[in-house]
Every structure is written in C-alpha cells, then in structure tokens.
Amino acid sequence: MTFPYSEIVLEHFRHPRNVGQIEDADGKATEGSPSCGDMVSVYIKVDPEKKTISDIKFESYGCASNIATGSIITELAKGKTLDEAKKINWKTASEALGGLPKIKAHCSVLAVEGLRSAVQNYEERHGLVKEKKPTTEDEIHRRLRKVMNPLSGLDLERTNLVKNVQLKDGFVRVVIDLPPDHQFSHSIKEEVKEKIEPLWDIKEVVVEFIA
Ligand code: FES
C-alpha cells in the first residue's frame, strides 16, 4: 500500500533530525503504540533555571510517519519551555509536516506521547508534578505496559509476564514470570524501577522474578 506523503514528511523521513540517545538525559521515555506495536524513545536535557529543553533526541522503531513526526517534534520542542513542549500535539506536528494521511494519525500520536512522557519523567524526577494524585495499582499496571518484553517486542502486560503487583504505603512489589537468572531479568528489573520510582509517593520498588 502506498500513502500520499507530503514532501516535508519524505524529507524528514530521509534525513531525520536529532536521532539518537542522550546518555545522561534529564528525562526520557519509551512509548509503544497499541495500534501497531511500534515504539519510540525520547530523551531530553533541561536547563534547570529556565526550564527549557536545551537538547532532545529520539529513536524510532516505527514507520516513516513516526520517524518524520519524531524528527519534527524534536525541532519544535528544542528551546521551548516544558509547558510549551507539553502543548505540542499530533495536530501541531501533522500541520508542520504538511499533513499526514488519516490512517497514519496514530504514528504521530505515538511520537507526541513520547515527548510528553519524557517531559513528565523529568517533572516526576524533579518533584515538579503539580497534580499529586495518590498512585494506584492501575497506574502501576499502566506503567508496566510501557516496559518492553525483549523476548517478543511487546510490553510486559500484553505478554502476561506480570504475575502480581502489590502497593502499600509507598512500597511496590512487582512479580515477573521469568527465572531470576534469565538473560533479560536484569534489564527488565531496571526498566520497571525506572518507570515506577519517579512517582511522587513511591518510596521503594522491589522487582522479583519467579518462574
Ligand atoms: Fe506503527 Fe506508524 S505504523 S508507528
């Protein structure tokens, strides 16, 4: 199937800007699309005084629309304040790209979600979250849906690797259905902690592997 991509989309797809990782990122996030299973990661460096995005990079494991949107949103977000960056939506991105086929809207939503989550990650890590709602088990499960199971390329929840989640007085226990010495146990553990620990009312996250 071919889609009528604009010249701007094609140009950003062929020469994406700001591709890669930032090793010591101040905020980072990986988002997966429920529609297609593709993923995008966004990394930001933040000027702590001005609260502006001083550097931003992205990695896309998605299609041409996703790569082009990742590229354009990094250009749009660079130099902006965190609040301005959060206002960038798929419509802004799509307009800046000269339009995207409707069937590809979810691809730009994915990239925009990646940017928003990276900003949110920064805010959580720096105690800047304005709406401090108590964390629920649902929120823990929602975050576990953002941790990839490297065995399948899908998330931990969708591949039924989460055996149990307990939340009590700021302590979280997550049980994963894999043996402790599995080759991916260490990286899964790190990623689970990374996703849950920044929540403002969480004191400790314990990840156990039982298979
Ligand atoms: Fe998956 Fe575009 S089809 S990101």
Side-chain angles (χ1 to χ4, degrees), residues 162-194:
V162 181
K163 253 189 174 172
N164 193 12
V165 169
Q166 286 167 352
L167 166 66
K168 197 166 186 284
D169 303 331
F171 291 90
V172 178
R173 179 172 173 259
V174 178
V175 182
I176 304 290
D177 192 3
L178 277 180
D181 57 352
H182 189 278
Q183 59 166 330
F184 292 127
S185 295
H186 181 72
S187 60
I188 289 175
K189 182 177 179 174
E190 292 304 304
E191 239 192 287
V192 169
K193 282 168 136 322
E194 208 171 274

Side-chain angles (χ1 to χ4, degrees), residues 5 33 35-39 60-67 103-104 106-108 110:
Y5 283 134
S33 166
S35 319
C36 63
D38 290 332
M39 290 190 301
S60 165
Y61 308 93
C63 66
S65 298
N66 185 255
I67 293 169
I103 193 170
K104 297 264 112 188
H106 75 271
C107 315
S108 56
L110 177 62

